[in-house]
Amino acid sequence: MYARLRAGGLGEVAAKLDEGMRLELDDGLRLFEAPDLLGVGWLANREREKRHRGDTFFNHNIRLEATNVCVASCLFCAFARLQPGDDGAYTMSLEQAWGKLRDRAGQALTEVHVVNGLHPDLPWDYYLELLRGFKRIRPDIHLKCFTAVEIAFFSELYGKTDEQVLRELMDAGLDSLPGGGAEVFAERVRRKICHDKADADRYLAIHRLAHRLGMPSNVTMLYGHIETHEERVDHMLRARALQDETEGFQAFIPLAFHPDNNRMEKLPAPTAADTLRVHAVARLMLDNVPHIKAFWIATGVEVAQTSLWFGVDDLDGTVQEERIYHMAGAPTPEAMTPDEIARLIRRAGRAPVERDTFYNVVSRPA
Ligand code: V47
């Protein structure tokens, strides 16, 4: 293998990894530009197996988007509607939102993942009550809710500091933050695709604060649109630098750009080869983040299975009722049962492990 890695220009990176040295920007660029995708995958798989052997995590969760009304104008988004009353705009009543959990009383769910649009008119109490109501229905459910972009928006809309917002949400039942809203940290990219929402520093500052307050979080990267390889590696390095400080990130999640029904629909979707490479490079660059997650809704099921040999050790969860990707053209199913996820992991040659949000083992399906 080493002769092959050297011939493919990956000898230096392999040697650094053997010596336990950190990869830097140039190494990341080499990993993106070396033609030998299998060489990159082999290196990433080695790191994955050192940490997790063949174990592949998933959880039993639901996704809830309580409103798609959003004042931001991200070019990649097919989900948002600017105004209440616009065609396709919706905002759930609290009863409707709680009903999503109540209706699944028979399911052994462990997590509710909430992502919303930035709604200009909802009262602050709506969000606090949303969380309190979920906990009333199921006191032990984990609430992974609101991206850092939503937290920044709440602070401005309701005239609070980020810390007040996070503390009040935590008092109402918030347990962790999801990783959405990161997109690509580079200023050049954000100016073009999402100029009117929290910038990279604010996103990272809110995650830093969440970690200091004792809440873990995830970090994402939306790839496959206008970003360069250098901007991808820079994104990973900024996440790694915060992780060096706080150790609060549980997972890094590359999110494959879906080009339907949005203002970037002329761009092609990322290829499967690119998707495998992004996940592999993430595993190699983010040496301090425990888990690399492939969001199967975004990558497609078959590519997610293959990614389990390219650095990925987590497939998110059962999901249910996802809208952001399906409105942007994702052809994946809207949900899977725990049995279905376990089966597809096993069929990819890996060992399924149902986890809770903190990666405690719930079960090892036979
Ligand atoms: O921030 C929106 C992305 C994100 C499109 O933390 C799009 O466990 C591709 O962050 N094509 C929200 N991506 C989803 C998210 C997430 C998903 C799974 C797990 C976790 C976690 C977080 O969806 C947004 C944005 O980056 N997105 N539109 C699109 N057309």
Side-chain angles (χ1 to χ4, degrees):
M1 194 65 199
Y2 275 78
R4 175 184 175 152
L5 290 172
R6 273 196 300 278
L10 293 169
E12 243 177 72
V13 174
K16 273 186 154 181
L17 291 167
D18 283 345
E19 286 163 35
M21 286 167 68
R22 275 206 140 166
L23 303 185
E24 301 302 342
L25 181 66
D26 284 353
D27 304 308
L29 287 178
R30 177 138 321 154
L31 288 164
F32 273 118
E33 277 151 27
D36 186 3
L37 173 62
L38 288 183
V40 175
W42 185 83
L43 289 168
N45 185 53
R46 195 173 61 161
E47 296 304 315
R48 179 239 202 261
E49 291 188 355
K50 260 187 225 162
R51 289 169 172 77
H52 308 294
R53 303 180 314 276
D55 286 354
T56 298
F57 299 94
F58 69 94
N59 73 351
H60 195 174
N61 64 350
I62 55 167
R63 181 69 170 269
L64 187 110
E65 293 99 355
T67 179
N68 67 349
V69 173
C70 188
V71 296
S73 48
C74 304
L75 295 192
F76 52 81
C77 189
F79 167 72
R81 298 292 180 270
L82 192 56
Q83 307 266 356
D86 282 358
D87 201 21
Y90 73 89
T91 301
M92 291 179 190
S93 67
L94 289 169
E95 278 301 333
Q96 282 171 326
W98 295 330
K100 301 284 176 191
L101 189 56
R102 222 182 254 126
D103 292 348
R104 293 180 169 87
Q107 294 183 16
L109 293 168
T110 60
E111 177 190 278
V112 179
H113 174 179
V114 177
V115 185
N116 297 317
L118 308 179
H119 194 303
D121 300 324
L122 286 172
W124 176 225
D125 224 37
Y126 176 89
Y127 299 99
L128 300 176
E129 263 308 300
L130 183 70
L131 300 178
R132 289 189 196 117
F134 286 142
K135 290 283 186 184
R136 275 196 298 271
I137 296 164
R138 280 209 199 185
D140 53 345
I141 202 93
H142 180 108
L143 298 180
K144 182 176 84 177
C145 309
F146 315 124
T147 66
V149 168
E150 289 169 80
I151 302 294
F153 178 73
F154 295 156
S155 306
E156 271 139 46
L157 187 64
Y158 304 117
K160 297 173 187 290
T161 64
D162 292 342
E163 181 160 348
Q164 278 169 334
V165 166
L166 286 176
R167 282 191 188 280
E168 288 181 39
L169 292 171
M170 287 170 80
D171 285 346
L174 183 68
D175 295 302
S176 68
L177 293 185
E183 322 315 355
V184 172
F185 290 143
E187 172 69 25
R188 181 195 76 87
V189 177
R190 288 189 102 72
R191 231 185 0 250
K192 290 197 170 146
I193 69 168
C194 57
H195 69 281
D196 54 358
K197 68 182 188 187
D199 66 9
D201 288 343
R202 187 82 187 276
Y203 176 98
L204 290 166
I206 288 170
H207 281 267
R208 179 184 290 108
L209 188 57
H211 299 167
R212 295 229 163 104
L213 296 176
M215 271 197 305
S217 67
N218 293 329
V219 51
T220 57
M221 178 177 81
L222 178 72
Y223 68 91
H225 44 93
I226 62 162
E227 82 289 2
T228 63
H229 289 160
E230 185 162 344
E231 285 161 343
R232 289 179 180 180
V233 182
D234 165 72
H235 185 95
M236 293 176 189
L237 292 178
R238 291 201 217 187
R240 187 174 82 179
L242 177 56
Q243 182 73 343
D244 278 342
E245 276 180 52
T246 65
E247 295 183 358
F249 287 131
Q250 302 202 103
F252 183 83
I253 311 156
L255 294 171
F257 169 60
H258 277 255
D260 288 356
N261 306 319
N262 58 43
R263 281 174 290 164
M264 287 159 79
E265 60 191 353
K266 290 208 172 61
L267 295 177
T271 62
D274 195 27
T275 286
L276 294 174
R277 190 183 291 266
V278 170
H279 288 79
V281 177
R283 177 63 288 161
L284 292 166
M285 298 307 298
L286 289 156
D287 52 12
N288 53 1
V289 175
H291 302 280
I292 304 296
K293 187 193 282 192
F295 186 44
W296 61 265
I297 297 260
T299 61
V301 170
E302 291 83 0
V303 178
Q305 284 177 298
T306 314
S307 77
L308 302 181
W309 294 90
F310 284 77
V312 169
D313 65 278
D314 188 334
L315 290 188
D316 199 80
T318 47
V319 187
Q320 309 181 45
E321 300 212 18
E322 196 286 330
R323 293 188 202 217
I324 297 178
Y325 283 85
H326 289 96
M327 287 170 84
T332 39
E334 293 220 356
M336 278 200 268
T337 64
D339 282 352
E340 283 166 338
I341 298 199
R343 192 175 326 121
L344 76 85
I345 292 169
R346 228 178 283 109
R347 294 190 68 185
R350 295 305 206 181
V353 181
E354 188 190 332
R355 61 165 175 86
D356 65 13
T357 311
F358 296 130
Y359 289 83
N360 298 307
V361 175
V362 173
S363 71
R364 290 182 175 270

